[in-house]
Amino acid sequence: MKKIVIIGILFTFLYGANNTCLHCHKGIEHIRDHKSKMMEKIFAKADEADVTGNDCVVCHGGNPEVTTKIEAHKGTPEYFEDNEGPKAFYPDPGSPWINKNTCGMCHKKQVASQWNNLMATEAGKIHGALWGFGAKDGYDHNHSNFGNVDIHKRIGTDIYSKYMKKLRKKEPQGFPEKMKELPPAPTAEQIEKDPTLSVYTYLRQECLRCHTGGKGRKRRGDYRGIGCSSCHIPYSNEGYYEGNDPTIDKNATGHMLVHEIQSSRKVKVTVHDKTYSGIPVETCTTCHNRGKRIGVSYQGLMETEYKANFDAQGNGQPKLHTKRYLHLQEDIHYTKGMLCQDCHTSIDHHGDGFNVGANLGAVEIECQDCHGTTDKYPWELPLGYSDEFKTSPKTGKARGVGHTLAKYLKQGFVPKDKGDGYLLSARGNPMPKTVKKGNEVVVHLASGKDLTLKPLKLLKKEKKLSKEGLVAMDQIKAHTDKLECYTCHATWAPQCYGCHVKIDYSKGKQNPDYLAASKMHHNGVTGEVHNLKDFLVDGKVTETRSYLRWENPALAQNGEGRISPVIPGCQVILTVIGKDGKAKLHNHIFKIPHKEGRGKEGINSIVMSPVNPHTITKKGRTCTSCHDSAKALGYGIEGGKYFADQSKTTIVDLMSADKRVLPHKTDEQMPAIPNLKDDLSRFVDENGTQVQTVGDHWKLSQALDNETRAKLDRRGVCLSCHQEMPHKDLAVSLLVHTAEMAGVKIDNKMHHTLVHKSLLMTAWVQVLGGLLLGLGLMYWVMRRRRK
């Protein structure tokens, strides 16, 4: 260790003179502070190779012994040979195609597990699309971007490993040991024989741009690195370099913002005169802006079709991630300065080395891990609480806290004061930045800020919960036992109804295959960086939708067995145009037989997906938004009453009173969607029959069952009183008249008072009446016996 420090000091002194890379790249930012442990290890690696001062080659490769760009960027001399020979020049050392030779020198576990991570496999996204195109894999998650198997040992504690072993046994379809590589995009000729193969065109051209094996799309908001650099190297939304390397074109897009690593709390990044730590949320939203849209939703961004607002020059809102947005309420965690990494763990981000089919299986944390319940502190809850994958709450011994950390966790930030111990995730791993301090929780944020959190039990003890909160979380135990916390506290969610997909194979139409481009790499640089035209495949994908909503999402049961918000997933309505320009499939919704409780006729493959919207607010949803809502029950917006029959074509033109179209030259305004008999927001009927799929990944995902809907449904309760008011009943009429004569104003507050009094009076009258009746009966029986 002493030798490393000496080398670091010596290197700092000789930096400008000895580093031949700086002959061209003079002024480039230090990738890390030279006093950091990471840089000390890099210096040591350079020293081992007898190239002290030329530390750039430790990560980037290249040849520091030459002075021309072409020769310097060819490859390293023999002193950096690995198992595959000398290192090449790596423009992006974080690329997963080569990072076992770079990042993997120190971060072996993370690099070893990267290909099993959902951010690399995109298994959930692939399965969702395959389901929407007819459920080609059924419930099994058989495919990933590149095909992969589990690594030999799972990352995490022994408790975590045992937990996940049981979970895999319970949900084998969601935790496959092996996944096959996604089939290639079909040719136009193949589509003539089987138009359902168009799903692979759809996936490769549209859906699979955001995996860590590729650099993605060159659009505003979508610029990022690849592999480790996807998250750990900063890119602005505009994609310009704003550092001091004279060799990087500052007017060209697609470059990192500065040549620095962003990571944990202890890693400082400077951009111009601003310094920050942690990984900004905007880094995450380069990918998390489609599908469930949790990244942009966390920031309060809800997409819109319109260009408002205008800027001072009269320009409409520019597109971000190819969309425009409204600014709604931000998630409270975002407002308080929490980054994604402040909740999500290393395993949530990097994976644990084993395959997983969808994000519910990949995420190890639950809200209660920090907030607890009104009855129990987080450390008093059993492991698996709110992660049950069954329909009853987890019980058992208290989980306690952790006192030790695995070696890989110590490579990140660990607070000096661990208090009474580290809080544990629902699956049994310690959370290094979240510590117990008495009955409070201290969260050490990546930004450098410390938050002190009072768990719900402490707030209840200190009488700091609102009346509504106390009723919802403490008095009504079913809410705590059966609901996710975010079912009430996520006050909005993006709802994009109807995914109309057209894939056109006519007239030689072609578009790039992003997945194929990412697999074709040289020295870690993937194909889409230089020329996407080299990866054109038959077909051109166009997407649109039916309509957007954000307010009061519907409710369903998620894969963990808890009631959760639900939003449209892949509601695919497919049109495939063949080589001759004619539709092979037209506004087609696939039917999946013998699934979701449906028989031979099958269920529509359009999907409603349970979700944590990441739009948490302190004040939860109102009672009526669930208990007085047909939409919440799954019956659709206002019971699905607004839409006409969409299985019939709509023509709008000059018509007679009996709706005969008068002109001959006319066009269909809205062509029919043959298999769509209901509004897209309706996924269960009043008999409890699902009319579309609810979740396609986990066994327990479904619409609310009949019993749950019966308990939830309180629609029309106002009539219970008002059917007698003001004069349908003598006693009620007398009370109304008395109130009017006394000048009582029936506002909302008085209405609450009257209902409350009526409840108490009714209860006591029935209890006392029953008691008097019982006493009377006893008296009568005793009298009879005496006689």
Side-chain angles (χ1 to χ4, degrees):
M1 184 68 186
K2 189 175 180 181
K3 182 181 178 183
I4 293 172
V5 173
I6 293 170
I7 291 169
I9 294 169
L10 178 63
F11 177 81
T12 303
F13 179 73
L14 297 173
Y15 188 77
N18 288 1
N19 193 324
T20 55
C21 300
L22 295 183
H23 293 172
C24 293
H25 297 280
K26 187 176 182 180
I28 192 170
E29 301 75 38
H30 301 330
I31 192 71
R32 281 288 305 275
D33 183 345
H34 284 181
K35 295 177 183 177
S36 67
K37 288 183 179 178
M38 176 178 170
M39 282 309 300
E40 288 172 358
K41 289 185 177 182
I42 289 173
F43 295 153
K45 285 284 184 184
D47 185 54
E48 286 172 19
D50 198 26
V51 288
T52 301
N54 279 307
D55 59 294
C56 301
V57 300
V58 174
C59 296
H60 282 283
N63 190 344
E65 297 181 351
V66 294
T67 55
T68 65
K69 177 180 177 180
I70 294 174
E71 292 298 318
H73 288 185
K74 272 187 176 177
T76 60
E78 66 282 356
Y79 46 66
F80 270 120
E81 283 193 11
D82 52 34
N83 294 333
E84 297 176 2
K87 283 186 183 178
F89 170 64
Y90 304 137
D92 188 340
S95 172
W97 303 102
I98 52 87
N99 63 11
K100 67 178 181 180
N101 303 324
T102 55
C103 309
M105 289 189 290
C106 296
H107 301 281
K108 287 183 171 59
K109 288 193 174 183
Q110 284 71 35
V111 168
S113 65
Q114 66 183 333
W115 291 112
N116 302 83
N117 180 350
L118 269 180
M119 296 185 199
T121 69
E122 295 192 294
K125 200 186 294 185
I126 289 170
H127 186 270
L130 291 175
W131 185 277
F133 280 67
K136 285 182 174 292
D137 281 353
Y139 289 110
D140 294 327
H141 294 69
N142 293 331
H143 288 94
S144 67
N145 281 337
F146 306 109
N148 48 289
V149 296
D150 295 338
I151 64 170
H152 67 283
K153 186 169 172 29
R154 194 187 291 272
I155 297 171
T157 63
D158 290 340
I159 292 172
Y160 171 79
S161 294
K162 290 175 184 175
Y163 185 101
M164 295 306 294
K165 189 176 181 180
K166 289 180 182 176
L167 197 51
R168 169 174 270 182
K169 190 174 181 181
K170 187 181 289 187
E171 299 273 357
Q173 83 294 339
F175 295 95
E177 294 181 11
K178 184 178 181 180
M179 290 189 282
K180 296 177 287 188
E181 183 174 357
L182 192 73
T187 63
E189 288 74 20
Q190 289 173 311
I191 291 298
E192 291 297 308
K193 297 176 183 177
D194 184 2
T196 69
L197 293 175
S198 60
V199 66
Y200 302 117
T201 306
Y202 179 52
L203 281 164
R204 287 173 168 274
Q205 289 188 6
E206 285 292 316
C207 307
L208 304 180
R209 293 189 297 251
C210 281
H211 59 92
T212 52
K215 204 164 162 60
R217 183 172 57 176
K218 297 176 182 179
R219 293 288 188 277
R220 184 172 182 265
D222 295 347
Y223 296 108
R224 59 173 175 81
I226 178 174
C228 302
S229 304
S230 301
C231 303
H232 288 290
I233 298 295
Y235 282 71
S236 74
N237 282 340
E238 309 300 335
Y240 291 109
Y241 175 67
E242 297 184 24
N244 298 313
D245 186 336
T247 69
I248 301 177
D249 186 350
K250 293 180 175 59
N251 295 314
T253 58
H255 293 296
M256 60 190 171
L257 181 62
V258 289
H259 177 257
E260 297 186 46
I261 284 177
Q262 57 187 22
S263 179
S264 67
R265 175 180 173 127
K266 64 184 180 181
V267 180
K268 308 299 180 186
V269 179
T270 300
V271 182
H272 303 303
D273 59 346
K274 304 178 187 74
T275 299
Y276 72 92
S277 61
I279 298 173
V281 172
E282 288 74 16
T283 297
C284 306
T285 60
T286 57
C287 289
H288 293 281
N289 60 71
R290 270 178 68 106
K292 293 177 181 177
R293 298 163 171 81
I294 56 174
V296 286
S297 295
Y298 187 62
Q299 297 175 294
L301 300 180
M302 169 66 200
E303 64 197 76
T304 177
E305 301 287 357
Y306 307 110
K307 293 184 179 182
N309 304 344
F310 295 114
D311 66 16
Q313 287 74 43
N315 301 310
Q317 184 188 145
K319 285 188 175 182
L320 180 67
H321 317 300
T322 69
K323 308 172 189 73
R324 296 182 177 91
Y325 292 95
L326 301 171
H327 196 177
L328 306 184
Q329 280 191 323
E330 302 166 349
D331 189 294
I332 190 172
H333 300 88
Y334 180 69
T335 303
K336 287 185 174 290
M338 294 182 71
L339 305 176
C340 303
Q341 70 194 99
D342 290 320
C343 284
H344 289 287
T345 65
S346 177
I347 282 179
D348 285 1
H349 289 115
H350 300 110
D352 64 5
F354 276 45
N355 290 330
V356 61
N359 58 12
L360 201 66
V363 176
E364 64 171 319
I365 56 168
E366 298 290 341
C367 305
Q368 296 91 335
D369 294 350
C370 289
H371 293 279
T373 67
T374 55
D375 286 336
K376 292 184 184 295
Y377 289 107
W379 44 89
E380 293 175 335
L381 290 170
L383 289 174
Y385 189 84
S386 200
D387 189 50
E388 291 90 358
F389 285 84
K390 60 187 292 190
T391 55
S392 57
K394 186 70 184 289
T395 58
K397 68 176 184 178
R399 68 178 70 174
V401 294
H403 296 284
T404 58
L405 296 175
K407 185 179 177 181
Y408 77 93
L409 289 174
K410 293 178 182 177
Q411 289 179 300
F413 170 75
V414 178
K416 292 180 180 178
D417 181 6
K418 69 175 185 179
D420 304 322
Y422 307 110
L423 267 61
L424 299 177
S425 75
R427 296 179 179 177
N429 281 320
M431 300 187 289
K433 299 176 293 248
T434 311
V435 300
K436 177 180 183 292
K437 279 273 185 98
N439 286 332
E440 294 181 329
V441 174
V442 177
V443 186
H444 299 278
L445 304 186
S447 65
K449 182 180 177 181
D450 291 339
L451 287 181
T452 299
L453 178 156
K454 291 189 176 185
L456 289 169
K457 184 175 178 179
L458 182 59
L459 290 173
K460 175 186 168 185
K461 185 178 180 182
E462 295 180 351
K463 298 185 174 12
K464 290 183 179 177
L465 290 175
S466 67
K467 180 172 70 175
E468 295 89 346
L470 198 62
V471 169
M473 293 185 287
D474 196 61
Q475 287 180 228
I476 304 175
K477 294 297 181 187
H479 284 169
T480 301
D481 289 345
K482 294 183 179 295
L483 272 63
E484 299 282 9
C485 299
Y486 51 82
T487 305
C488 292
H489 285 282
T491 50
W492 67 271
Q495 299 155 61
C496 178
Y497 289 99
C499 186
H500 297 260
V501 178
K502 180 181 76 171
I503 310 177
D504 189 350
Y505 295 89
S506 70
K507 299 178 182 177
K509 289 185 177 73
Q510 291 187 316
N511 256 354
D513 180 338
Y514 278 86
L515 191 57
S518 64
K519 192 177 180 183
M520 186 66 67
H521 57 90
H522 176 67
N523 294 350
V525 178
T526 49
E528 75 269 40
V529 173
H530 296 303
N531 194 0
L532 275 169
K533 290 181 180 178
D534 292 340
F535 303 96
L536 295 175
V537 293
D538 289 349
K540 182 179 180 180
V541 177
T542 304
E543 290 180 302
T544 189
R545 56 183 150 228
S546 294
Y547 60 95
L548 286 166
R549 291 289 184 274
W550 65 75
E551 68 282 2
N552 295 333
L555 305 179
Q557 182 174 286
N558 68 14
E560 292 174 339
R562 286 183 171 253
I563 296 172
S564 152
V566 66
I567 63 174
C570 289
Q571 289 189 319
V572 176
I573 301 166
L574 179 64
T575 295
V576 178
I577 306 297
K579 289 172 63 180
D580 58 1
K582 296 178 181 178
K584 308 291 291 183
L585 293 171
H586 182 220
N587 289 336
H588 185 67
I589 296 174
F590 288 90
K591 289 276 189 181
I592 307 174
H594 307 295
K595 301 288 184 186
E596 308 285 304
R598 300 297 290 269
K600 214 173 193 180
E601 176 203 354
I603 190 167
N604 281 349
S605 65
I606 55 177
V607 178
M608 294 292 287
S609 294
V611 64
N612 177 348
H614 289 66
T615 57
I616 304 302
T617 57
K618 187 175 181 180
K619 186 175 177 63
R621 289 174 67 159
T622 62
C623 305
T624 53
S625 74
C626 293
H627 290 281
D628 190 30
S629 169
K631 180 184 176 184
L633 291 162
Y635 299 149
I637 297 169
E638 289 295 319
K641 71 180 184 182
Y642 292 123
F643 278 80
D645 187 350
Q646 295 177 77
S647 65
K648 296 178 181 177
T649 296
T650 299
I651 296 177
V652 182
D653 211 321
L654 205 64
M655 295 184 184
S656 62
D658 57 357
K659 293 192 176 180
R660 287 175 296 150
V661 179
L662 302 178
H664 282 177
K665 292 183 178 180
T666 189
D667 198 0
E668 297 175 339
Q669 187 67 32
M670 284 162 277
I673 306 173
N675 285 339
L676 188 61
K677 308 294 184 186
D678 299 283
D679 177 3
L680 287 159
S681 65
R682 179 176 171 87
F683 53 90
V684 66
D685 68 19
E686 285 74 9
N687 296 318
T689 302
Q690 280 190 202
V691 297
Q692 59 177 292
T693 308
V694 178
D696 52 276
H697 302 295
W698 309 103
K699 292 178 180 179
L700 292 176
S701 292
Q702 62 174 58
L704 302 179
D705 61 29
N706 290 349
E707 182 183 352
T708 302
R709 292 197 324 283
K711 288 179 180 178
L712 176 64
D713 188 2
R714 295 297 178 265
R715 293 172 297 160
V717 73
C718 300
L719 281 175
S720 304
C721 295
H722 286 275
Q723 64 183 339
E724 305 295 346
M725 296 176 70
H727 51 68
K728 291 292 182 181
D729 178 86
L730 182 62
V732 172
S733 180
L734 182 61
L735 280 174
V736 171
H737 181 70
T738 304
E740 289 174 349
M741 294 297 293
V744 176
K745 292 183 179 179
I746 311 297
D747 57 13
N748 191 40
K749 185 176 180 182
M750 178 57 72
H751 191 271
H752 278 251
T753 302
L754 288 172
V755 172
H756 185 230
K757 284 181 177 178
S758 298
L759 171 68
L760 294 177
M761 189 178 296
T762 302
W764 278 110
V765 166
Q766 291 192 50
V767 168
L768 292 174
L771 186 61
L772 289 172
L773 184 63
L775 290 171
L777 185 61
M778 286 175 61
Y779 178 72
W780 180 79
V781 169
M782 290 172 67
R783 287 281 304 264
R784 293 274 296 175
R785 284 180 177 175
R786 285 175 187 166
K787 289 181 179 180

